[in-house]
Amino acid sequence: MDELTIRRTEPRDAEAIWAIIGPTIAAGETYALPRDMDQADALAYWTGADRETWVAEADGTVIGTYYLRVNQAGGGAHVANCGYMSATAATGRGVARRMCLHSLARAREVGFRAIQFNFVVSTNVRAVRLWEHLGFAIVGRLPAAFDHPTLGQVDALVMFQTLDAPAVVECEIEIQHGD
């Protein structure tokens, strides 16, 4: 996936972002969000003023999106939090990996000292494996914290990585700044 560009979102990206996050939210398998969340609420959540939102684009088509935000206010403001979603058609093409690497670089650039994923659904095996491969450790397990639509109650994981050491680098990462 050499042709992938990651850039800050623009208002024109709203429909493309919704096309990615809408089905993921409705499936209810990986995010603790209301499955019936409408487009306006989902976009407000994903692109809120409290976060930077980015898109991954290949050949002019948005195929992934992520956000970067402060995990907690005050004494926890040095720790970032991120959420990532890729288009179904982009599964297995390295989009999530590239977005995560980008987010690690961006978090360092803006001064975060760690990233914490608060609620990784344990049955999202591909994500758990990828996050571990990129240096995140499982630091907590929340028993039966997520009500999966087909599997019932499953565990959620808290994953954490300090940013004092360079991330696993498997590709060149270029941070593009918007206006």
Side-chain angles (χ1 to χ4, degrees), residues 37-124:
M37 189 178 241
D38 67 23
Q39 181 175 354
D41 288 343
L43 287 171
Y45 169 79
W46 198 259
T47 64
D50 66 334
R51 60 197 69 208
E52 291 184 1
T53 307
W54 298 77
V55 293
E57 207 173 42
D59 300 320
T61 301
V62 173
I63 59 172
T65 180
Y66 85 86
Y67 66 76
L68 172 71
R69 67 181 179 129
V70 172
N71 191 51
Q72 300 292 330
H78 62 285
V79 178
N81 174 258
C82 299
Y84 310 86
M85 291 191 199
S86 300
T88 303
T91 300
R93 293 174 52 194
V95 177
R97 172 185 306 278
R98 294 278 297 269
M99 289 190 300
C100 186
L101 289 169
H102 187 276
S103 70
L104 289 165
R106 179 64 181 156
R108 283 184 182 90
E109 181 181 54
V110 297
F112 286 112
R113 296 197 330 249
I115 294 180
Q116 178 173 316
F117 299 154
N118 299 321
F119 203 89
V120 180
V121 177
S122 62
T123 56
N124 191 353

Side-chain angles (χ1 to χ4, degrees), residues 123-145:
T123 56
N124 191 353
V125 176
R126 288 177 63 122
V128 172
R129 187 177 18 207
L130 175 59
W131 305 151
E132 286 181 316
H133 179 75
L134 294 178
F136 287 85
I138 296 171
V139 297
R141 180 174 291 271
L142 310 170

